[in-house]
Amino acid sequence: MTGPIKGYAGYQLRVELGTRVSRVEPIDAHTQRKFLGGASYAAKVLYEEMPAGVDPLGPANKMILATGPLSMSNIPGGGSIMLCFKSPLTGVWGESRVGGDFGPDLKKAGFDYVIVEGRSETPVWMMIDDGVVEFFPAEHLLGKTVAEKSALIREQVGDKKLSILCIGPAGENLVKISAVMSDDRAAGRTGGGAVLGAKNLIAVAARGKHKVEAAEPERLKTILRGAFAEIKDNPMFVGMKQYGTIGDLAGNDDGGDWPSQNWKSNSWGKGPELFDAYAKNNFIKGFGCYHGCTMACARWVHVADGSYKTPEHGGAEYESISCFTAYLLNENMDAAVHCTWLCNEYGLDTISTGAVIAFAMECYEKGLLAPEQLQGLDLTWGNAEVLPDLVKAIALRQGLGDILAEGVRRAAAIIGNGAEKFAVHVKGLEGPAHDPRSGKALGITYATANRGMCHIQPLEGMAWDRGKLDWGLGKYGVPDPNTVERWDEQGKGAVVQLLQNGLVLPDIIGTCKFYMYGGITIDHWADFISALTGWDMDGAEILKAGERAINIQRLFNVREGITARDDFLPERVLTQPAFGKYADEPAVVTRDLEGMLAEYYAARGWDPVTGAPKEEKLAELGL
Amino acid sequence: MRVKVQAIGDLREYFGRDPVEVALPDGATVRDLLDTLDMRLGARLPGYLWDRETRRFKGPVLLVVEKKAVQDESASLADGIEVRIMRAIAGG
Ligand code: SF4
């Protein structure tokens, strides 16, 4: 090879924290074309390099920071990076995406991937500066919030714009629902914060002047210009820019897609007034989470005064706010904005934190919490006052917070007395704020997504079935969603596997998924990658790479003991809503999950009992 | 002139499953269409979806012509076109 492959920085950095030895390894074109990057290449590395049964919080677990070929600020959605590891929350495949400039800046520092191994004896933070790695003591950062840590690191280096990934106190305390933060943006799900905390790696910063070379720079410029012009009037693009993700609050409540009171219902009826309160009192402006984002769905918000006074910050995302309102029957939007900000600053996943609190409130309602566990906390549904203290208690593992810090599955096992019946999770990951009682495809995606009941991979089930989007996948076999009734079940298993193959792509090519909602299709992605790398890929080839990614992650999970029995939906989700608009609508309840999953496995080429990809499928995918 | 108005997804619950034909004076604008929709349907649209005072959609619900969001209320509509009413759903 005569130099780095086009379109990539061309190298991965391997860091062993115990010895502080780092190695620069070239990446090869054949492997990259096959896996592309992000959560796909990282799955290959983790599957090949890490044996089954590794303790997620032990030194043998690896944390991979993985960009994709399109993680560049001139690409639609290119401010993106994936964190991949074995999850301490679920014990299986763990991944989490974060927006912001860290992804593009890592490439500028000279690397597509960072593979973090081992464990440092003492707390450190790591600087990747134009190809050079340096470690700094981090004792002084311990216990500090994310904003405080980031400010101290930037001050130390004298670089106000330095891109940083860091953990909060929750990650330091090995909270299983802890996040890795990039300022206001979160790699929230599956407990990556605890993985870094266990490694004593408190933060990673990256910068540099390396330029990724495109194979056909002029062509790339032209097609990018065309794509940006094409999407700017796309209704989804316009809607996201104007309203952000939180704009869905009222519509999702009305559409039965708003899990309420720990999933007792799929609607609550308070969405419109909560959205109005947010628009009036909390919203300041929209912004892009990385330099170059034109969709700019991120929201700049605050609470001006009162007991939930909160400084201006980027936040109030749909999922986060839903988990701190409807999940808890909390009608106080200021409290929700405040608590989601607290989660960010303490380094907690907003979704799982809202979910474990909802679970705790139900335990309280049912009298399952002992006085010594409660320590005087009033966990009545809707009690906003208790929320900030409880969020902090989870991050600091104090009192009841220590149990909730384990996530709902373990917390239910500790509390016992039937609590597992209303611990809403799949594969150990707490459910987010979309409800399959709004459309059946979502149930299949929840049951089968590799990281569990997450809000990223499963989204497309909801958005195809109820939102009637097809992301240009019609030509690859996805039926026109306008011909599909959202309550129907038959045929959806086969569709879901196609949706998953297509919509996993942003997480492997290094972009923000919302651009696919805003009009960028897989054919656009294929064009961008081709102009960058010179590979001449088409939509079908990258769709195949999406399928390969899902399969190798599944292989990882199967090796950790996952079978078809782990592809389930929690009982709550399969139950008639107890209140709200759909309480008397029997069609919302899934009648035949097994039948839908049988269709899904057949379409996937997976064994319906073991849940493992069959030999023919693996051969077809070159795995 | 006539335009067809078709709601997408669960918005059909309020606007009807089939496209609604709306008769408008020649040279009618998006504003005229919104006024007509208000007269015909305004009373039964939920408050979170439709603002009766401004006669506009509330939240991320958009009028779409040929896959593009129509934001300029003074834009003229052409005879025979289909106007879709669509909710911007992403919610992640
Ligand atoms: S669309 Fe939103 S989430 Fe995606 S990159 Fe832009 S601001 Fe970030």
Side-chain angles (χ1 to χ4, degrees):
Chain A
M1 210 168 68
T2 52
I5 53 177
K6 292 276 195 297
Y8 286 77
Y11 298 95
Q12 66 187 20
L13 175 70
R14 189 181 293 272
V15 182
E16 210 292 321
L17 290 171
T19 55
R20 311 243 170 117
V21 169
S22 53
R23 275 203 329 254
V24 175
E25 301 169 344
I27 54 173
D28 74 89
H30 173 74
T31 310
Q32 295 309 314
R33 182 163 183 169
K34 187 168 169 183
F35 291 96
L36 291 174
S40 169
Y41 179 72
K44 170 195 147 49
V45 173
L46 290 178
Y47 186 65
E48 287 175 358
E49 295 187 2
M50 222 164 68
V54 154
D55 173 4
L57 295 181
N61 196 6
K62 300 187 190 211
M63 163 67 78
I64 304 188
L65 315 181
T67 67
L70 301 184
S71 301
M72 293 191 291
S73 49
N74 60 332
I75 303 278
S80 190
I81 189 160
M82 296 299 296
L83 277 56
C84 302
F85 46 90
K86 181 173 173 182
S87 164
L89 177 65
T90 65
V92 295
W93 172 253
E95 68 170 60
S96 207
R97 172 196 173 269
V98 62
D101 292 308
F102 190 93
D105 281 347
L106 180 62
K107 291 191 130 180
K108 287 185 194 158
F111 302 105
D112 298 294
Y113 312 105
V114 181
I115 303 172
V116 181
E117 303 176 341
R119 176 181 187 275
S120 170
E121 274 304 305
T122 55
V124 290
W125 73 271
M126 176 169 79
M127 176 82 179
I128 309 170
D129 196 351
D130 232 351
V132 178
V133 182
E134 209 176 339
F135 291 93
F136 297 96
E139 274 89 356
H140 65 298
L141 300 176
L142 296 183
K144 301 260 189 294
T145 64
V146 166
E148 288 165 348
K149 282 188 175 99
S150 304
L152 284 167
I153 290 172
R154 288 185 177 120
E155 198 181 297
Q156 182 178 344
V157 180
D159 182 349
K160 283 189 190 145
K161 292 185 177 156
L162 185 66
S163 282
I164 300 169
L165 292 180
C166 82
I167 60 172
E172 294 165 24
N173 292 320
L174 309 186
V175 170
K176 304 256 170 54
I177 55 172
S178 55
V180 179
M181 302 296 300
S182 180
D183 293 309
D184 293 328
R185 310 304 285 183
R189 310 232 66 194
T190 67
V195 175
L196 285 186
K199 293 190 174 303
N200 256 330
L201 183 59
I202 308 303
V204 183
R207 67 177 176 187
K209 296 192 177 67
H210 179 86
K211 271 205 169 72
V212 170
E213 221 182 291
E216 297 176 74
E218 285 313 311
R219 181 178 155 217
L220 182 64
K221 258 191 223 156
T222 309
I223 56 180
L224 283 175
R225 214 179 297 125
F228 277 117
E230 213 179 298
I231 60 176
K232 79 174 186 356
D233 294 320
N234 180 294
M236 288 294 300
F237 185 94
V238 171
M240 288 286 280
K241 192 176 179 87
Q242 283 181 355
Y243 295 97
T245 56
I246 194 172
D248 286 339
L249 223 57
N252 286 1
D253 186 4
D254 192 41
D257 193 24
W258 211 36
S260 301
Q261 201 180 24
N262 196 31
W263 296 77
K264 286 186 187 177
S265 180
N266 59 343
S267 70
W268 183 23
K270 305 270 182 188
E273 64 195 68
L274 279 161
F275 181 77
D276 287 347
Y278 147 84
K280 183 162 165 253
N281 304 324
N282 307 117
F283 175 67
I284 299 171
K285 62 178 181 187
F287 69 102
C289 73
Y290 69 92
H291 289 99
C293 179
T294 54
M295 192 185 289
C297 80
R299 302 290 101 173
W300 194 249
V301 296
H302 72 153
V303 180
D305 43 38
S307 39
Y308 301 107
K309 190 169 175 180
T310 311
E312 292 186 14
H313 65 282
E317 296 289 337
Y318 167 78
E319 298 282 350
S320 314
I321 291 297
S322 300
C323 293
F324 275 92
T325 52
Y327 259 54
L328 315 173
L329 299 190
N330 165 36
E331 297 179 38
N332 188 323
M333 181 55 88
D334 282 352
V337 170
H338 182 72
C339 288
T340 54
W341 169 76
L342 277 179
C343 284
N344 284 356
E345 287 303 327
Y346 280 79
L348 284 167
D349 172 9
T350 50
I351 297 175
S352 287
T353 305
V356 286
I357 295 175
F359 166 78
M361 284 183 163
E362 187 155 353
C363 287
Y364 181 78
E365 175 195 66
K366 293 185 159 58
L368 302 184
L369 296 171
E372 64 274 16
Q373 287 171 325
L374 275 170
Q375 295 182 340
L377 292 174
D378 173 7
L379 293 184
T380 308
W381 291 112
N383 179 16
E385 274 173 29
V386 78
L387 299 177
D389 285 343
L390 196 48
V391 169
K392 290 181 206 162
I394 294 170
L396 303 175
R397 283 191 172 273
Q398 291 168 344
L400 180 64
D402 191 31
I403 298 174
L404 302 182
E406 292 293 305
V408 289
R409 184 169 63 181
R410 279 198 194 82
I414 295 166
I415 291 164
N417 291 312
E420 69 280 356
K421 278 211 169 65
F422 51 87
V424 179
H425 69 89
V426 175
K427 299 183 178 70
L429 183 66
E430 292 76 17
H434 291 285
D435 196 314
R437 290 169 291 187
S438 70
K440 302 297 172 59
L442 177 60
I444 312 170
T445 53
Y446 273 156
T448 58
N450 281 317
R451 73 172 177 175
M453 202 171 173
C454 93
H455 69 300
I456 295 291
Q457 271 75 35
L459 260 188
E460 45 271 15
M462 172 278 294
W464 174 75
D465 224 350
R466 188 167 82 83
K468 305 302 174 194
L469 299 181
D470 82 346
W471 307 275
L473 285 167
K475 71 191 243 205
Y476 299 101
V478 170
D480 177 356
N482 290 300
T483 63
V484 173
E485 176 52 59
R486 64 178 170 144
W487 312 124
D488 286 349
E489 297 180 3
Q490 214 179 1
K492 291 193 176 166
V495 178
V496 158
Q497 65 95 28
L498 270 171
L499 294 175
Q500 288 174 326
N501 295 348
L503 275 290
V504 76
L505 283 170
D507 292 341
I508 72 180
I509 59 180
T511 61
C512 166
K513 190 173 203 173
F514 290 151
Y515 276 84
M516 282 193 82
Y517 282 70
I520 296 289
T521 64
I522 64 168
D523 297 312
H524 285 110
W525 296 136
D527 267 359
F528 301 159
I529 296 172
S530 297
L532 251 180
T533 59
W535 287 339
D536 194 20
M537 296 182 95
D538 58 14
E541 185 176 347
I542 64 166
L543 201 54
K544 198 44 103 186
E547 185 181 7
R548 191 173 292 118
I550 286 167
N551 275 273
I552 193 156
Q553 290 168 4
R554 181 72 174 192
L555 286 176
F556 181 95
N557 278 351
V558 167
R559 197 173 61 179
E560 297 291 344
I562 290 287
T563 70
R565 282 173 52 185
D566 298 290
D567 299 334
F568 65 90
L569 282 180
E571 193 179 308
R572 261 296 152 78
V573 180
L574 295 168
T575 305
Q576 187 72 40
F579 57 88
K581 186 175 164 186
Y582 299 87
D584 298 319
E585 175 52 83
V588 304
V589 179
T590 297
R591 296 175 296 276
D592 185 17
L593 180 63
E594 262 180 40
M596 290 196 291
L597 288 174
E599 277 181 5
Y600 176 85
Y601 295 133
R604 272 253 168 264
W606 290 0
D607 185 286
V609 178
T610 66
K614 292 181 180 167
E615 284 304 321
E616 310 89 84
K617 179 50 76 181
L618 295 179
E620 178 197 319
L621 295 170
L623 289 174
Chain B
M1 65 186 243
R2 288 176 174 276
V3 297
K4 262 190 203 162
V5 178
Q6 170 77 72
I8 303 296
D10 55 356
L11 289 175
R12 292 183 306 181
E13 185 184 326
Y14 301 110
F15 293 91
R17 173 168 292 272
D18 299 320
V20 182
E21 269 221 335
V22 180
L24 293 166
D26 284 347
T29 63
V30 171
R31 180 71 261 165
D32 297 325
L33 174 62
L34 291 171
D35 290 345
T36 309
L37 286 177
D38 183 65
M39 273 190 291
R40 278 175 65 164
L41 300 166
R44 63 178 153 106
L45 295 178
Y48 88 87
L49 204 59
W50 184 256
D51 185 334
R52 288 224 74 182
E53 254 174 53
T54 60
R55 299 179 312 284
R56 286 193 181 108
F57 287 105
K58 280 177 80 177
V61 178
L62 298 143
L63 287 183
V64 181
V65 176
E66 281 170 1
K67 298 191 178 166
K68 290 186 173 171
V70 183
Q71 295 179 81
D72 176 9
E73 290 188 1
S74 65
S76 305
L77 296 166
D79 185 33
I81 57 161
E82 183 178 270
V83 179
R84 295 183 153 208
I85 303 171
M86 191 179 156
R87 204 200 289 284
I89 287 187

